[in-house]
Amino acid sequence: MNRIIVEQEEVFLQDESVFFTEIPNSLVLHVKGNVCLALTSIHHMEVYLEKGSHFLLEAFVFMKNQTSKIVFHNEDDVVLDFHLSCLYEGENTLEVNSLVDKERVRNYIRVRSVERFGSLLIKATGEILENTRDAFYLEDIQSLTTHQERVKIIPNLLVSSNEAICNHNATITHVREEELFYLRGLGIEEEKATQLIKDGFLKSILQIEEIKK
Amino acid sequence: MLKIENVTVKSEDKVILENFHLEIQPGEIHALMGQNGAGKSTIAKVLLRDSHYDVQGMISFHNKDLLAMNTTDVAREGMFLVMQNPIEIAGVSNAELLRTALNDRGKNTGNILEFHRELTEYCKRLELPTSFVHRDVNFNMSGGEKKKNELLHLWMLKPNFLILDEIDSGLDVDSLKLVARSLVEYYEAYHPSILVITHQKTLLDILKPQFVHVLKDKHIIKSGDFSLAEQIFQDGFGASTMRNGETNE
């Protein structure tokens, strides 16, 4: 996989696997054919998936007092497989939007977030418009936090088509007291025990995704 | 070493233990027996300072006020609880957990090779694959593997006071023998105090506790030597739960 520092604000990708180590604050991406992209940061991205494309987007990002937005535009016969694993500090907002008004579109959008210290607002919106035919849309958002009130997930499914299967799952998980008790019972400080559990949550998600691939 | 005096334990205003007394000296093995729901596991969790319980009375451990300590402090003083159902923690490996625990106890694990060698050696002794070093803590393990995994932690952390809460539940005959043998080896090597909670004869036959206590009606109603356990296994709790000094007449 090629490792690239992206400097321009518009990038065309066709039948390739790339790893963007750095991207500009605003990026427009055009995807054609089979493309696999890995990212370590997201600020504002518009992604255009051309007809027949299959796009695997894997992002592992650290957010700190950040607002990020990613918008997917789908053409006919598109498969989008998007995994975002996010660790955050401070106040953050993450928006993921997907617009579908074509035929035979498959969107799988999975977001996993783990709090270090701070808050996160996740807005995930799938707009399945009237012209859509034979589409599948999945939005699966999971968040682990020590303070439930610091995480807010707003999942939106705006479905105007009768020919689409749409699913969404939003879960906010608290660090379990039993796990903390178990780790502290081995002599580990509460703060370190909490960190172990949170890091473990993220690692286990990554392991599962790896096995799936 | 451990002294529990006149302890009352409540959970959500329900009294679980009352007027509970128990004293355990260094190197002693005590068995706590009683019917299901008598409160045996509660005392184990109370000693590890589970915050779900409201505890009144006096408990001292190593001449320190245990009720003034938190769970981490108690563990660092040398107490170690093997739970009936060990918790699974996804994404945290045994190696990571033990390195953190040892470092937090002030035991240097700087020599990674030595740490790894010791860990794999204990895996072999417990007949666990050495891959267990990097397995997530108790995650996707069978009941027997979980108990052996707990013993792996025990050998690495070397506590001086063990609470074995039905460590034998869910074990097949071979696993039970291995677990018991490992506990005996640990006892012979480090002479810890042990409080064993069990319903099974096999484990007690191997560990041979010097003291046996029967928990009923929220406190210990009878104490004796190993013959009391034998009597319970033979006659059940009915005949054995007459208080010290009581007779059938």
Side-chain angles (χ1 to χ4, degrees):
Chain A
M1 192 177 272
N2 295 324
R3 300 163 74 93
I4 299 171
I5 296 173
V6 179
E7 286 172 348
Q8 67 273 37
E9 293 195 342
E10 191 165 19
V11 173
F12 292 82
L13 296 172
Q14 183 174 354
D15 294 317
E16 58 186 315
S17 292
V18 280
F19 174 22
F20 288 173
T21 53
E22 279 180 43
I23 57 173
N25 286 340
S26 179
L27 178 67
V28 177
L29 203 62
H30 298 270
V31 173
K32 194 173 179 182
N34 294 323
V35 173
C36 178
L37 172 63
L39 291 173
T40 51
S41 63
I42 289 178
H43 300 284
H44 189 105
M45 275 175 71
E46 292 269 343
V47 182
Y48 292 88
L49 302 162
E50 292 199 13
K51 189 176 177 178
S53 60
H54 189 154
F55 185 38
L56 172 61
L57 175 57
E58 187 84 44
F60 186 97
V61 300
F62 177 65
M63 294 176 74
K64 192 171 182 177
N65 297 315
Q66 194 178 320
T67 296
S68 297
K69 185 173 180 179
I70 181 161
V71 183
F72 297 101
H73 303 267
N74 295 267
E75 287 289 336
D76 287 340
D77 298 302
V78 154
V79 179
L80 165 67
D81 213 341
F82 174 44
H83 301 132
L84 171 68
S85 302
C86 158
L87 209 60
Y88 61 90
E89 258 185 50
E91 287 184 27
N92 301 280
T93 302
L94 174 67
E95 266 188 73
V96 181
N97 293 355
S98 189
L99 301 168
V100 183
D101 66 346
K102 301 291 179 184
E103 297 191 357
R104 295 172 299 280
V105 171
R106 302 281 178 269
N107 274 192
Y108 305 90
I109 294 169
R110 297 179 177 91
V111 178
R112 307 283 184 264
S113 71
V114 177
E115 175 213 347
R116 268 199 186 277
F117 312 102
S119 63
L120 178 65
L121 168 65
I122 303 173
K123 293 182 197 170
T125 306
E127 286 187 64
I128 318 297
L129 303 179
E130 203 176 350
N131 294 332
T132 305
R133 301 278 177 275
D134 184 20
F136 182 87
Y137 182 84
L138 168 72
E139 213 171 73
D140 181 15
I141 301 154
Q142 293 182 27
S143 191
L144 179 73
T145 177
T146 43
H147 297 86
Q148 206 140 341
E149 66 281 2
R150 289 188 192 160
V151 180
K152 196 169 181 188
I153 299 175
I154 305 175
N156 283 318
L157 269 179
L158 309 169
V159 185
S160 307
S161 167
N162 289 325
E163 294 188 37
I165 298 170
C166 303
N167 294 297
H168 79 86
N169 168 47
T171 313
I172 300 173
T173 310
H174 211 261
V175 171
R176 286 169 56 211
E177 283 183 27
E178 300 85 19
E179 292 183 357
L180 266 182
F181 177 70
Y182 178 83
L183 293 180
R184 296 188 70 199
L186 298 174
I188 299 172
E189 287 286 2
E190 185 171 2
E191 200 176 306
K192 270 191 196 167
T194 307
Q195 202 55 57
L196 266 179
I197 294 165
K198 289 196 284 191
D199 290 351
F201 174 80
L202 208 54
K203 271 188 225 162
S204 66
I205 296 296
L206 290 174
Q207 281 164 9
I208 290 165
E209 301 301 346
E210 195 138 307
I211 290 163
K212 277 186 191 164
K213 273 178 222 161
Chain B
M1 179 170 229
L2 177 75
K3 198 171 183 181
I4 305 174
E5 282 184 300
N6 197 22
V7 159
T8 298
V9 179
K10 288 183 195 170
S11 177
E12 294 171 353
D13 287 335
K14 187 185 168 198
V15 177
I16 302 170
L17 297 171
E18 201 167 25
N19 192 24
F20 189 95
H21 295 261
L22 182 65
E23 196 168 337
I24 299 177
Q25 296 300 331
E28 288 181 353
I29 303 178
H30 290 240
L32 185 60
M33 304 181 75
Q35 288 166 322
N36 292 330
K40 303 183 297 296
S41 295
T42 298
I43 195 66
K45 288 182 185 168
V46 163
L47 291 174
L48 255 290
R49 303 295 292 121
D50 187 330
S51 58
H52 289 101
Y53 300 102
D54 174 26
V55 186
Q56 304 293 325
M58 198 284 291
I59 306 178
S60 73
F61 182 51
H62 289 306
N63 297 319
K64 292 179 183 169
D65 180 5
L66 184 134
L67 297 180
M69 298 183 199
N70 62 35
T71 304
T72 305
D73 297 334
V74 175
R76 286 182 186 178
E77 277 294 322
M79 198 176 280
F80 184 92
L81 168 64
V82 179
M83 293 180 182
Q84 202 171 334
N85 298 306
I87 302 288
E88 297 185 1
I89 305 181
V92 180
S93 72
N94 274 319
E96 198 176 3
L97 172 87
L98 288 166
R99 249 199 320 272
T100 308
L102 286 166
N103 283 333
D104 266 20
R105 285 160 182 249
K107 292 176 184 168
N108 188 12
T109 57
N111 187 336
I112 195 96
L113 288 176
E114 180 59 28
F115 170 79
H116 194 265
R117 190 203 58 74
E118 193 179 359
L119 198 48
T120 49
E121 174 60 33
Y122 290 137
C123 278
K124 284 175 195 163
R125 278 204 219 172
L126 290 161
E127 295 180 10
L128 288 169
T130 51
S131 60
F132 264 60
V133 169
H134 301 295
R135 282 277 298 271
D136 289 357
V137 177
N138 296 324
F139 192 70
N140 282 342
M141 291 184 190
S142 69
E145 285 175 334
K146 282 181 186 173
K147 299 292 169 71
K148 290 184 203 172
N149 202 48
E150 292 296 289
L151 291 187
L152 184 63
H153 298 171
L154 168 84
W155 277 97
M156 287 299 289
L157 298 174
K158 299 180 180 50
N160 54 48
F161 192 102
L162 318 185
I163 306 171
L164 311 174
D165 187 5
E166 296 194 30
I167 193 171
D168 43 6
S169 69
L171 293 181
D172 60 40
V173 179
D174 292 337
S175 297
L176 178 56
K177 280 184 184 167
L178 191 142
V179 163
R181 193 180 68 220
S182 180
L183 286 168
V184 169
E185 282 172 11
Y186 187 84
Y187 183 74
E188 286 170 354
Y190 299 104
H191 299 289
S193 304
I194 302 178
L195 176 61
V196 53
I197 297 166
T198 185
H199 293 289
Q200 308 275 342
K201 190 170 186 296
T202 316
L203 184 65
L204 292 187
D205 279 343
I206 297 169
L207 285 180
K208 287 271 185 302
Q210 301 100 337
F211 303 91
V212 176
H213 311 279
V214 180
L215 179 58
K216 194 185 176 188
D217 299 333
K218 304 183 176 71
H219 61 279
I220 289 172
I221 59 160
K222 193 166 190 176
S223 296
D225 58 18
F226 186 60
S227 64
L228 176 58
E230 289 176 322
Q231 190 191 339
I232 290 168
F233 288 126
Q234 193 178 314
D235 304 330
F237 281 105
S240 315
T241 50
M242 287 177 293
R243 291 155 205 272
N244 285 344
E246 279 183 352
T247 65
N248 270 326
E249 292 161 18

